């Protein structure tokens, strides 16, 4: 995709968040584009998760948010709760670190995939089942038809995360927020999940926000990289530029902490 074809799917402007009167985000700016993976890095507590939760309207109780989160010509911060409910999980979906957060242990994979679809897409049981099997194939779950009948605990951690990604994709989202999606997984399966996210972004034209404290993970898949520190984005730009010629001293210090120079495993 050339620069001219880039489309802003979601724009965060001057996002401020306070929780219980304590400021945690101090004016975050971030743009997500269709068909691009935007990596969000930064140390623990810098505000990465709060940025993602603000987009989904899922900030902790007692939070206040101001600024603007533009999506589809609307400001999500101004959207009434009922409308936001329709956007969340459908047009904007999320994948968390622990697939257990997105998956219900007592429901079959089929139920988890189809209930979303039937509600948001208004389709019948049979169509939903077919779509569900196709989604499992898309996230490379072997034997999708059989897999639909099983429960989350019958899959490995990596496979569970793939299923959680399928659930996130069920209602054809435009934006996918993935918060540390590989952190809880065995290193041997991490790369597969990242490749999957990259492929989905390319195939479906998804705008992906990939939150990770790991710049190594980022260098493998992100197109753009933003670095957060103390509730602010201190640096943003194309992956190659940010990782090879960091402008902010904090980005430089993160890079210096990496065991392998970034870009070594870039696609
Ligand atoms: N439920 C909460 N109540 C109050 N403050 C919170 C809550 N959750 C997070 N915070 C605070 O908000 C700030 C940003 O936290 P956030 O979880 O967004 O960081 P993060 O960058 O995602 O860190 P990590 O890499 O550890 O996941 C931190 O100062 C944190 O202490
Ligand atoms: Mg976090």
């Amino acid at each position: 995709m050339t620069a001219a074809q880039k489309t802003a799917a979601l724009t965060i402007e001057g996002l401020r968040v306070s929780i219980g009167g304590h400021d945690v985000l101090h004016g975050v700016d971030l743009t997500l584009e269709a068909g691009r993976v935007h990596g969000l890095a930064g140390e623990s507590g810098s505000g990465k998760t709060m940025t993602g939760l603000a987009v989904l309207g899922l900030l902790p109780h007692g939070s206040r948010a101001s600024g603007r989160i533009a999506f589809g010509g609307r400001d999500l911060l101004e959207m009434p709760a009922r409308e936001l409910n329709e956007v969340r999980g459908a047009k904007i979906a999320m994948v968390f670190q622990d697939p257990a957060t997105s998956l219900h242990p007592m429901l079959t994979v089929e139920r988890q995939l189809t209930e979303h679809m039937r509600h948001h897409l208004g389709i019948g049981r049979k169509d939903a089942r077919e779509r569900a099997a196709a989604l499992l194939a898309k996230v490379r779950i072997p034997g999708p038809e059989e897999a639909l009948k099983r429960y989350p605990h019958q899959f490995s951690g990596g496979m569970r995360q793939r299923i959680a990604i399928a659930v996130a994709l069920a209602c054809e989202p435009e934006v996918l927020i993935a918060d540390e999606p590989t952190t809880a997984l065995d290193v041997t399966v991490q790369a597969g999940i990242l490749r999957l996210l990259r492929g989905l972004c390319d195939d479906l034209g998804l705008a992906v926000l990939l939150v990770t404290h790991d710049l190594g993970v980022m260098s493998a898949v992100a197109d753009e990289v933003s670095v957060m520190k103390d509730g602010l984005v201190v640096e943003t730009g194309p992956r190659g530029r940010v990782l090879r010629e960091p402008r902010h001293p904090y980005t430089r210090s993160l890079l210096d902490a990496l065991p392998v120079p970034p870009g070594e495993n870039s696609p």
Side-chain angles (χ1 to χ4, degrees):
M1 188 177 274
T2 67
Q5 289 171 305
K6 284 186 198 169
T7 341
L10 187 138
T11 311
I12 302 174
E13 287 166 10
L15 176 65
R16 292 173 171 273
V17 168
S18 67
I19 310 176
H22 174 68
D23 292 337
V24 296
L25 299 183
H26 303 280
V28 169
D29 296 317
L30 204 67
T31 300
L32 305 184
E33 283 156 5
R36 311 281 285 177
V37 175
H38 194 119
L40 184 60
E43 69 193 348
S44 185
S46 57
K48 305 182 297 295
T49 293
M50 288 307 138
T51 301
L53 292 180
V55 170
L56 289 153
L58 290 176
L59 287 167
H61 192 69
S63 301
R64 291 173 67 92
S66 64
R68 195 174 142 78
I69 304 178
F71 175 73
R74 304 281 302 274
D75 180 358
L76 295 181
L77 292 179
E78 299 282 318
M79 202 178 260
R82 207 158 54 85
E83 277 182 68
L84 191 60
N85 255 327
E86 293 299 313
V87 171
R88 176 173 49 223
K91 294 289 146 228
I92 304 176
M94 189 148 185
V95 176
F96 299 91
Q97 174 172 330
D98 180 359
T101 312
S102 332
L103 300 177
H104 194 297
M106 309 293 274
L107 297 180
T108 61
V109 170
E110 177 174 348
R111 277 283 295 279
Q112 339 225 7
L113 282 164
T114 57
E115 252 166 45
H116 253 71
M117 281 180 211
R118 294 181 68 188
H119 173 72
H120 285 287
L121 304 179
I123 56 176
R125 202 184 142 89
K126 190 166 165 287
D127 285 349
R129 192 170 192 286
E130 266 170 33
R131 272 186 55 86
L135 272 173
L136 289 183
K138 198 161 198 57
V139 298
R140 309 252 159 78
I141 297 285
E145 290 288 338
E146 277 305 303
L148 283 177
K149 297 177 199 144
R150 292 158 72 189
Y151 293 86
H153 75 266
Q154 294 174 293
F155 295 87
S156 68
M159 287 295 157
R160 272 203 292 274
Q161 192 59 298
R162 285 172 188 267
I163 294 167
I165 293 169
V167 170
L169 296 179
C171 300
E172 301 174 338
E174 289 165 36
V175 176
L176 179 69
I177 295 170
D179 194 345
E180 306 270 5
T182 62
T183 308
L185 301 173
D186 204 279
V187 282
T188 57
V189 301
Q190 288 185 354
I193 297 286
L194 292 173
R195 267 199 305 275
L196 174 66
L197 286 173
R198 178 73 253 181
L200 292 168
C201 173
D202 295 337
D203 293 353
L204 307 174
L206 275 175
V208 178
L209 180 67
L210 176 65
V211 176
T212 171
H213 61 270
D214 185 342
L215 279 180
V217 159
M218 197 140 287
S219 68
V221 284
D223 298 301
E224 278 81 35
V225 169
S226 289
V227 178
M228 282 189 82
K229 180 172 168 37
D230 301 334
L232 272 177
V233 172
V234 294
E235 173 146 15
T236 189
R239 172 192 64 190
R241 206 281 294 150
V242 174
L243 299 184
R244 292 196 194 99
E245 300 156 44
R247 289 177 189 160
H248 196 279
Y250 176 64
T251 313
R252 226 167 287 145
S253 70
L254 279 182
L255 288 166
D256 288 342
L258 276 181
V260 184
E264 304 284 301
N265 53 350
S266 303

